[in-house]
Amino acid sequence: YAIGYLAAGWFIDKVGTRAGYTIYLVVWSLAAAAHALANSAASFAVARFALGVGESGNFPAAIKTVAEWFPKKERAYATGIFNAGSNVGAILAPALVPIIALSMGWRWAFILTGLVGLVWVVFWIPLYRRPAEHPRLSSAERALIESDPPDPTAKVSWLTLLRFRQTWAFATGKFLTDSIWWFYLFWFPLFMADRFGVDLKNIGLPMITVYLLADVGSVAGGWLSSRLLGAGWSPNAARKSAMLACAACILPVALAPRIDPSATVLGISAQWIAVWLVGIAAAAHQGFSANLFTLASDMFPRKAVGSVVGIGGFAGAMGGFFMNLGAGWLKQNQGSYVTMFTIAAVAYFVALLVMHMLAPRLEPARIEDNS
């Protein structure tokens, strides 16, 4: 997944969102279905690798699509809405996949989930066009989409993007905050089992609660900065204020591993207090993420957005890689989750500070000077 990101953004910028998104979704779908053909650990690993490569095209293409179809004042809200879809999938999959596996066999679970991606492609190809090419777009709608200043016309290479402080601001933000999301994805069930004795077979409702809250946060965080932009705030003030509010909402998650498992507060068990603390943090993460993704299109022209998101996505995936290694080491050597949840609580403030130092005004990258 991380390796795939490095090429995915560049490729989608090169061929366009319509063709690029189609290719990556087909690769992802076929790779998912190919798990059913695996007859050894090695062949299963090949299918997993292909799945990660296919999945790496999703966010570069999605963010670039939003940049093509929405003015800056609406992009964070639009990003928050589509980003919420990933959490809906995370809720539906644990409910549906076991049913498929038990009734039809585990191979069909991979085949059917893979085919879902191909169904999406059937709708995407005939429906999607860039605004300038869409036959059903009214002149008023086109004027709204194109209301921002025109993009620079100079060409920009993938390597050139590494010269900009704006690229490093985005990549650093992804590295520091995506790592926390990966920590929640991998370690939340184990944390609930270790700390509160929740049987992993009964983790479904707590997980669903966390993902539902994440959905709400994704939309709300994007809505907040878009609302501030609509009220006349600058992109710099609107995006960073929204991210600061999200970072503040994450702070209480540091208390999750410190709760006495036998405690009850206002009739709420310790187990569910922890679920809500993690759920609110997950919601705030997604709100932060919706605005962070939007920074790529705030600071770079549409033709470079996919590449910038690809670079940042690589950084975020590697952050998750190192975070999970570190979490395992800390759990083994400390016997608790306190340090990890403390890191999770403050990482967003650190990320916002570093991004502010690298891009204090979120100024657009001067492509003409570096082409």
Side-chain angles (χ1 to χ4, degrees):
Y1 185 48
I3 294 170
Y5 256 126
L6 291 176
W10 169 84
F11 180 77
I12 288 166
D13 279 338
K14 193 77 172 176
V15 305
T17 48
R18 184 167 178 256
Y21 220 159
T22 299
I23 291 170
Y24 272 95
L25 256 295
V26 169
V27 170
W28 182 92
S29 300
L30 295 179
H35 286 68
L37 304 177
N39 54 15
S40 67
S43 58
F44 198 84
V46 171
R48 298 303 292 170
F49 187 90
L51 188 77
V53 171
E55 189 173 350
S56 68
N58 179 62
F59 279 106
I63 298 299
K64 187 176 178 68
T65 299
V66 169
E68 289 177 347
W69 268 91
F70 293 87
K72 288 184 178 181
K73 64 183 180 181
E74 295 181 354
R75 288 177 189 170
Y77 190 23
T79 299
I81 292 172
F82 91 69
N83 192 38
S86 61
N87 298 311
V88 173
I91 294 170
L92 294 178
L96 297 178
V97 170
I99 296 174
I100 298 171
L102 290 174
S103 61
M104 303 175 65
W106 69 268
R107 297 181 189 275
W108 276 101
F110 283 105
I111 293 171
L112 292 179
T113 52
L115 292 178
V116 169
L118 298 180
V119 172
W120 180 89
V121 169
V122 170
F123 287 92
W124 172 257
I125 293 176
L127 289 176
Y128 188 80
R129 297 289 189 282
R130 289 186 301 172
E133 303 165 351
H134 205 288
R136 293 182 299 196
L137 191 66
S138 70
S139 56
E141 290 172 320
R142 184 174 287 108
L144 174 63
I145 294 168
E146 298 174 351
S147 58
D148 295 319
D151 287 340
T153 57
K155 294 182 178 180
V156 55
S157 68
W158 189 93
L159 287 176
T160 299
L161 293 172
L162 298 179
R163 304 177 189 172
F164 294 103
R165 292 165 65 92
Q166 291 93 331
T167 303
W168 291 102
F170 178 72
T172 302
K174 293 290 289 178
F175 179 84
L176 292 173
T177 61
D178 276 16
S179 60
I180 307 303
W181 181 248
W182 287 107
F183 168 67
Y184 294 146
L185 291 181
F186 280 94
W187 287 91
F188 175 70
L190 297 174
F191 164 69
M192 294 299 294
D194 291 345
R195 184 65 178 163
F196 300 101
V198 178
D199 192 316
L200 293 181
K201 295 178 181 178
N202 299 317
I203 197 66
L205 186 56
M207 289 290 288
I208 289 173
T209 302
V210 169
Y211 281 119
L212 283 175
L213 288 170
D215 268 346
V216 174
S218 181
V219 177
W223 170 85
L224 177 58
S225 71
S226 293
R227 181 66 181 269
L228 295 176
L229 277 171
W233 290 40
S234 68
N236 183 55
R239 306 288 190 229
K240 289 178 180 176
S241 294
M243 288 192 286
L244 181 62
C246 291
C249 291
I250 294 169
L251 274 178
V253 80
L255 300 174
R258 294 176 168 88
I259 300 171
D260 184 345
S262 62
T264 300
V265 179
L266 299 177
I268 304 174
S269 67
Q271 168 190 326
W272 278 97
I273 293 173
V275 170
W276 278 92
L277 286 172
V278 174
I280 291 171
H285 165 86
Q286 292 290 13
F288 192 101
S289 183
N291 285 280
L292 178 56
F293 269 128
T294 309
L295 297 188
S297 58
D298 285 340
M299 298 186 293
F300 290 90
R302 294 176 180 89
K303 62 189 176 185
V305 166
S307 297
V308 174
V309 173
I311 293 169
F314 170 79
M318 293 306 299
F321 174 82
F322 289 116
M323 172 63 84
N324 279 300
L325 288 177
W329 185 88
L330 287 168
K331 178 63 171 64
Q332 182 172 323
N333 288 275
Q334 294 184 349
S336 76
Y337 296 87
V338 170
T339 300
M340 291 311 306
F341 275 95
T342 302
I343 293 172
V346 301
Y348 298 81
F349 285 105
V350 175
L352 188 55
L353 176 62
V354 173
M355 286 189 291
H356 181 70
M357 293 173 64
L358 290 171
R361 290 181 293 276
L362 297 185
E363 292 178 333
R366 296 184 179 180
I367 300 296
E368 296 90 342
D369 298 339
N370 292 272
S371 59

